[in-house]
Amino acid sequence: PRSRQRGVQLARHSTEYEVLPTGTTFSGSVDHQITDPALLGLALAGLRSITSIGAGGSLGYGLCRVEARALDASKHPVNDADLASALRGLARPRP
């Protein structure tokens, strides 16, 4: 059977979940050595596409939102428009 709301398969056995209150926030940082703006943009796009952590299943447990931002070596924010432009250049075939 499938969940009509989320479009995923329902669990076939019972499991126990740890549930956190709505609005719980976790924070962290990833130190990277990515110097190519296109690859940094690709890494940010991947992080921002995360929508669940753990066994989300059909009940919606584990649904989340990841807010990722890039900082340069001087800890200043990197402009998302610059990263998007570099990422578009990565998709173009090279001669």
Side-chain angles (χ1 to χ4, degrees), residues 6-93:
R6 295 202 52 232
V8 295
Q9 184 173 349
L10 295 171
R12 295 182 188 263
H13 50 83
S14 66
T15 54
E16 295 182 20
Y17 296 98
E18 294 292 329
V19 181
L20 297 170
T22 300
T24 301
T25 302
F26 297 97
S27 65
S29 65
V30 177
D31 291 329
H32 63 84
Q33 296 179 354
I34 302 173
T35 57
D36 183 349
L39 295 179
L40 182 55
L42 187 61
L44 278 177
L47 286 171
R48 291 175 181 166
S49 70
I50 296 172
T51 58
S52 65
I53 295 176
S58 60
L59 300 176
Y61 294 128
L63 294 180
C64 68
R65 182 179 73 231
V66 174
E67 297 175 5
R69 59 191 165 100
L71 304 175
D72 63 14
S74 303
K75 304 295 183 193
H76 294 104
V78 176
N79 186 343
D80 281 352
D82 294 340
L83 294 177
S85 176
L87 194 53
R88 280 190 294 275
L90 187 66
R92 291 188 190 119

